[in-house]
Amino acid sequence: MKTSKLLPSLLTLSYALTLLPAARADNPIIQTRYTADPAPVVIHGKVYLYTDHDEDHATWFVMKDWRLYTSSDMVNWTDEGSPLSLKTFSWAARDAWAPQVIQRNGKYYCYAPMTQKGVGMSVGVAVANRPEGPFHDALGHPLVHISPADIDPTVFIDRDGQAYLYWGNSQLFYVKLNRDMISYDQKVGIVKVPLTPAAFGKGPGLKHRRSLYVEGPWFYRRGNLYYLVYAAGGIPEFIAYSTSPGPTGPWTYRGIIMPNHLPHLAFTNHPGVIDYKGHSYFFYHNQALPGGGGFDRSVCVEEFKYNPDGSFPTILPTRKGAPPIAHLDPFKRTRAATIAWESGIHTENLSGAGVCVTGEQNGAYIKVENVDFGARGARSLALNAASESSGSSIVVHLDSVNGPVIATVTVPDTGGADAWKVLHSDIQGAEGVHDLYFVFNRQPGSGAFNFAWWQFGK
Ligand code: FUB
């Protein structure tokens, strides 16, 4: 868990200079944990972003659980906790690597690779009644194990109802899934997709004129064109793509989407592509957070537009990421774990209260972006907190961590870190659209303090 944000350096400065001045999301979009291998999916009008979780201070891929974040505006991301972990699969030994989730039959299926005890990397499938989970192992054994490199599943349902699962490192395999989504047509078997250099055309390259499939496939259809976006070229990886007139090829190499050798990128990269509310988004990971590295990565997002012929533009990583596409309504209850940017806090799933925020340090803060108080503004604030000592407060600022103060909510000793109390404050001066900063004012030696949700009143 990180306690400070991007370190000032010349490298960071050049990265920051790619910013646009308008309000935009902050990359990496998740700061409370190291996250990798983004798997976004739109469900019920919301973006569900499943990720891996790199453990802190890792010197190899040390990954034990998967995490979920949701957003309706692409800038504020709500921590939904961990919907599944290695413990979900009795046969798993380690390596909770790149998953993908899809909806079918009123259920949610998560395909995830992990090391099978005594065997090697295998792909499992877990099922849930809600996208938030909890997910349960659908089979009690792996769905596929055909090679030592069975990683990075990507799943897709075509318009005729046929589902496909692609996966693999160095070689890309696929099977046709049956309608139950937890078995596949053994007759078709497993076919290698011809994504070898010999099959490539002359796609527009930057440093590379040819590509070589490595891993991280992301498979989808747009109109009549089928896309495979993937990590390519060896280490450090760049993101390339191929297209096909059908779900099983023939594939044509189309070029590089995100080059490598750029500031803050990790030696791996991993794509996730969605359309949401009329916009197109490219998710990837970098190593930009403090303490970050090839095994402590962080998920980012950029908005892009397809070219008229369906090809991708080159997408470069930016510090500011995608712009907001909706205002956040402050008059609805918002979980404190809804965060555009933070400093010095961590999130934790507390029984009875869901994922909450803990501000350990004096001055720790949460930024919530693009909040619309309307012309008449807000007059009151309610927030739900639990504290085992008195003397702390949450100070609410507009537009910056030192901006105008609209509320100071004193947090009493509520009787314990799990004894929740709704606290109230009158407020003034919150009209129109603002970023909100909830700043934690902590007394030295004060005890545990948790923050569950907030809501403004008119
Ligand atoms: O996160 C572990 C592995 O690194 C993934 O499976 C690959 O896609 C690469 O990102």
Side-chain angles (χ1 to χ4, degrees):
M1 214 161 298
K2 290 134 302 294
T3 53
S4 60
K5 292 303 159 219
L6 296 175
L7 301 171
S9 69
L10 285 178
L11 206 57
T12 300
L13 185 59
S14 66
Y15 182 57
L17 288 176
T18 62
L19 309 190
L20 295 177
R24 291 194 154 227
D26 290 294
N27 274 330
I29 54 178
I30 310 301
Q31 305 105 39
T32 44
R33 280 174 181 76
Y34 295 115
T35 55
D37 299 335
V41 56
V42 179
I43 300 171
H44 301 144
K46 212 195 271 193
V47 179
Y48 284 73
L49 172 63
Y50 298 85
T51 73
D52 298 352
H53 172 199
D54 285 342
E55 294 290 327
D56 292 3
H57 313 300
T59 52
W60 179 243
F61 296 111
V62 184
M63 299 145 81
K64 302 174 184 167
D65 60 356
W66 293 272
R67 309 291 307 184
L68 172 62
Y69 303 87
T70 58
S71 180
S72 301
D73 56 23
M74 298 304 292
V75 296
N76 299 300
W77 292 91
T78 302
D79 188 332
E80 306 281 355
S82 172
L84 72 169
S85 73
L86 291 176
K87 291 184 184 150
T88 306
F89 303 92
S90 59
W91 48 270
R94 59 183 181 278
D95 302 325
W97 287 11
Q100 196 173 340
V101 171
I102 200 165
Q103 180 181 12
R104 187 169 217 178
N105 311 326
K107 294 190 183 300
Y108 300 87
Y109 296 88
C110 179
Y111 300 85
M114 62 213 93
T115 294
Q116 182 183 2
K117 288 172 188 163
V119 177
M121 290 304 288
S122 303
V123 175
V125 56
V127 62
N129 293 324
R130 302 167 65 236
E132 292 83 2
F135 284 83
H136 304 285
D137 188 357
L139 295 172
H141 56 80
L143 175 66
V144 289
H145 176 74
I146 60 158
S147 83
D150 290 334
I151 67 168
D152 294 359
T154 178
V155 61
F156 164 76
I157 302 172
D158 209 352
R159 52 190 148 197
D160 63 0
Q162 178 62 59
Y164 298 84
L165 186 76
Y166 282 78
W167 77 95
N169 175 291
S170 300
Q171 288 177 321
L172 185 58
F173 302 98
Y174 80 83
V175 290
K176 289 183 175 181
L177 292 170
N178 294 330
R179 284 196 83 86
D180 66 6
M181 300 298 278
I182 60 171
S183 62
Y184 54 90
D185 185 344
Q186 301 287 348
K187 289 193 297 281
V188 173
I190 299 156
V191 181
K192 290 176 188 175
V193 176
L195 278 180
T196 64
F200 292 157
K202 288 190 177 175
L206 293 177
K207 284 181 184 255
H208 307 263
R209 291 201 59 79
R210 294 197 317 175
S211 176
L212 180 64
Y213 169 80
V214 176
E215 58 186 3
W218 187 263
F219 178 43
Y220 65 100
R221 178 177 56 77
R222 187 168 176 270
N224 292 323
L225 202 55
Y226 294 75
Y227 289 75
L228 269 169
V229 183
Y230 48 88
I235 287 171
E237 296 170 341
F238 57 93
I239 302 296
Y241 74 115
S242 298
T243 59
S244 165
T248 60
W251 296 99
T252 303
Y253 176 61
R254 298 294 297 274
I256 291 173
I257 298 174
M258 179 169 279
N260 50 14
H261 296 295
L262 294 172
H264 299 288
L265 287 180
F267 72 89
T268 63
N269 205 345
H270 191 108
V273 183
I274 54 166
D275 281 350
Y276 180 55
K277 294 184 178 171
H279 301 256
S280 297
Y281 294 99
F282 179 82
F283 291 76
Y284 60 102
H285 63 227
N286 71 9
Q287 57 181 33
L289 283 185
F295 306 112
D296 278 321
R297 301 160 291 176
S298 294
V299 166
C300 301
V301 65
E302 310 292 345
E303 186 179 354
F304 73 97
K305 282 190 169 43
Y306 289 94
N307 296 318
D309 65 355
S311 60
F312 268 87
T314 301
I315 301 173
L316 299 178
T318 71
R319 163 72 177 76
K320 285 305 279 178
I325 53 169
H327 291 122
L328 190 141
D329 180 353
F331 304 111
K332 288 186 177 157
R333 185 176 293 184
T334 298
R335 299 246 310 279
T338 300
I339 298 168
W341 192 258
E342 57 83 8
S343 176
I345 65 128
H346 76 262
T347 56
E348 199 178 335
N349 200 341
L350 299 174
S351 60
V355 179
C356 298
V357 161
T358 299
E360 289 160 331
Q361 307 164 15
N362 187 35
Y365 70 86
I366 299 165
K367 173 190 172 191
V368 183
E369 202 168 302
N370 208 36
V371 178
D372 188 0
F373 290 99
R376 296 181 59 194
R379 295 289 172 265
S380 64
L381 169 64
L383 57 81
N384 194 21
S387 176
E388 61 183 24
S389 62
S390 60
S392 293
S393 58
I394 297 178
V395 185
V396 187
H397 297 253
L398 293 184
D399 300 322
S400 82
V401 76
N402 298 312
V405 174
I406 58 167
T408 300
V409 183
T410 302
V411 181
D413 180 344
T414 63
D418 57 358
W420 295 95
K421 190 168 169 75
V422 180
L423 308 169
H424 297 274
S425 171
D426 291 338
I427 67 159
Q428 283 187 335
E431 289 101 30
V433 178
H434 296 277
D435 295 344
L436 278 185
Y437 287 75
F438 294 87
V439 182
F440 293 75
N441 191 347
R442 305 275 283 141
Q443 295 302 315
S446 54
F449 162 66
N450 297 313
F451 179 19
W453 55 258
W454 55 267
Q455 182 171 14
F456 286 85
K458 293 184 180 175

